[in-house]
Amino acid sequence: MKKIILLFSVLCLLVTHNVVAQEPVTGIKGGVNLTTLTIDGNNDENLKFGFHVGVFNKIPLNSKFAVQPELLYSSKGMKQSFETDGIGGGDTKFNLNYIDLPVYLVYNLSRDFEFQFGPYLSYLANANFKTEAEVLDAFAFESEDEIDRDNFHSLDFGLSAGLAFDLQMVVVGFNYSFGLTPVAKDNRYSYAFLDDAKNSVIRLYAGLKF
């Protein structure tokens, strides 16, 4: 029993030393979003360009694993052309701007290369609808202002995964996030266009560590 207690104590000291020896890292990050909403007929040609910016905190657990929560402002949404759908031509954009809180479990594949995976929770800060096509008449809407934040769910939940190079002072990488909940409320405005569409986001980013 004494040997077991001694061995357990040594292991605890080793783990504690490993965690303490690797200090948490705080930084800022930002980059480009390539976004869409998962509806029929939409494809990669209709990816909408956006951006994200925010902060992160990487907390080492041991030499292989870490937890990394982030707080980001992120523009999402969709661009779609109705030129082939029997409606007057032009691009239509749903602009959805979120405050994202992803929490990644980080696995170090090598000293500077890592895999990240985890859930995210998003809060819809604002939303708007812009179109150059004749979709308003087709759906009997009076103006673009009829489709705003009130037509969308305020919370979004999903999963995110990606790869990153964690260098001495800089981090660069990409990730893909996919929503698990529909973005539009069930009403005649946004739902008429989007049905049960969910967020889909590719992020390319760079960051600085403090």
Side-chain angles (χ1 to χ4, degrees):
M1 179 61 71
K2 290 182 179 180
K3 291 182 179 180
I4 293 176
I5 294 174
L6 179 60
L7 178 60
F8 180 75
S9 300
V10 171
L11 289 175
C12 287
L13 288 172
L14 289 175
V15 172
T16 303
H17 173 75
N18 199 23
V19 173
V20 173
Q22 303 178 62
E23 296 293 333
V25 175
T26 301
I28 59 174
K29 64 185 298 187
V32 176
N33 288 352
L34 304 174
T35 72
T36 190
L37 295 170
T38 56
I39 63 173
D40 293 338
N42 213 14
N43 53 54
D44 292 342
E45 295 179 359
N46 293 322
L47 288 176
K48 174 181 171 291
F49 283 88
F51 73 95
H52 66 276
V53 62
V55 297
F56 66 90
N57 187 26
K58 186 177 181 181
I59 307 167
L61 301 178
N62 53 43
S63 61
K64 281 294 185 180
F65 289 95
V67 174
Q68 181 169 307
E70 301 180 356
L71 184 63
L72 309 171
Y73 181 85
S74 186
S75 61
K76 306 178 187 180
M78 177 189 73
K79 180 187 75 173
Q80 188 173 23
S81 175
F82 286 92
E83 292 180 359
T84 60
D85 295 340
I87 299 174
D91 289 336
T92 296
K93 292 183 179 180
F94 286 89
N95 301 307
L96 309 176
N97 300 311
Y98 288 89
I99 297 173
D100 289 343
L101 177 61
V103 179
Y104 293 106
L105 177 64
V106 180
Y107 176 71
N108 297 319
L109 298 170
S110 66
R111 180 178 179 181
D112 301 322
F113 190 48
E114 62 190 33
F115 171 73
Q116 303 174 346
F117 176 79
Y120 75 83
L121 180 66
S122 296
Y123 175 77
L124 182 62
N126 57 72
N128 61 74
F129 170 80
K130 302 294 181 183
T131 184
E132 299 171 353
E134 297 174 0
V135 294
L136 294 177
D137 293 337
F139 287 94
F141 298 152
E142 295 180 2
S143 71
E144 296 176 350
D145 294 336
E146 288 187 87
I147 302 177
D148 57 18
R149 185 182 183 279
D150 292 336
N151 303 125
F152 299 92
H153 294 292
S154 59
L155 294 179
D156 180 39
F157 173 78
L159 297 174
S160 183
L163 297 170
F165 288 96
D166 190 350
L167 308 176
Q168 185 173 3
M169 292 296 295
V170 177
V171 57
V172 294
F174 73 93
N175 57 52
Y176 172 66
S177 299
F178 55 96
L180 299 177
T181 57
V183 299
K185 292 180 179 178
D186 188 1
N187 56 49
R188 78 177 185 91
Y189 295 108
S190 54
Y191 202 80
F193 292 102
L194 302 178
D195 195 41
D196 61 349
K198 302 172 181 65
N199 278 308
S200 176
V201 182
I202 298 171
R203 289 192 183 93
L204 308 173
Y205 63 86
L208 293 175
K209 297 186 291 184
F210 302 140

